[in-house]
Amino acid sequence: AVNVNGKFIATDVSPIIKDGRVLFPIRTLASLGVTYQWDSKSQSALITKGKDQIKLTANKKEAFKNNQAVQVYVPVQMTQGRILVPFRFVSENFGYKANYEKIRS
């Protein structure tokens, strides 16, 4: 489950854990006030909040924040026809804090 500021957010595809990192459906970003565009040709997502932008590409560990290269531990994944992005990476790069609750997974 995804919990944003004490409110559980419904997702059409469950978040997954890959290499110790939580990935969640990109559509869930709306709950953070973030917008995104998916380019199916390049398999990349451009995620925007205010003046900040992050570009993530499927299966690549290099991302770009405001056109500066940064490393991401786990790249964007495609599963069940959905785009999953690394939750901590995205949320913290937009100034949010992310916590994993072991008790609830």
Side-chain angles (χ1 to χ4, degrees):
V2 177
N3 182 325
V4 177
N5 296 325
K7 181 179 178 183
F8 285 95
I9 307 299
T11 61
D12 57 348
V13 174
S14 294
I16 63 169
I17 297 176
K18 181 163 177 80
D19 298 332
R21 306 290 181 191
V22 176
L23 291 101
F24 71 115
I26 196 168
R27 290 181 182 184
T28 309
L29 290 173
S31 65
L32 299 175
V34 175
T35 60
Y36 73 91
Q37 296 173 331
W38 175 253
D39 182 341
S40 59
K41 186 174 181 179
S42 67
Q43 296 285 290
S44 64
L46 183 63
I47 305 167
T48 305
K49 181 171 186 210
K51 294 181 181 181
D52 289 324
Q53 290 187 329
I54 297 172
K55 183 177 181 182
L56 296 161
T57 303
N59 303 313
K60 291 194 177 179
K61 288 190 173 184
E62 183 178 61
F64 293 89
K65 180 178 181 187
N66 299 327
N67 295 318
Q68 302 247 346
V70 292
Q71 293 298 306
V72 60
Y73 291 106
V74 177
V76 170
Q77 304 288 308
M78 305 291 286
T79 187
Q80 299 176 25
R82 297 291 184 259
I83 304 154
L84 292 120
V85 296
F87 182 73
R88 183 176 300 276
F89 178 82
V90 172
S91 61
E92 289 183 350
N93 273 283
F94 286 124
Y96 295 99
K97 291 185 180 181
N99 294 307
Y100 179 75
E101 293 182 339
K102 288 183 181 182
I103 208 161
R104 290 192 245 193
S105 296

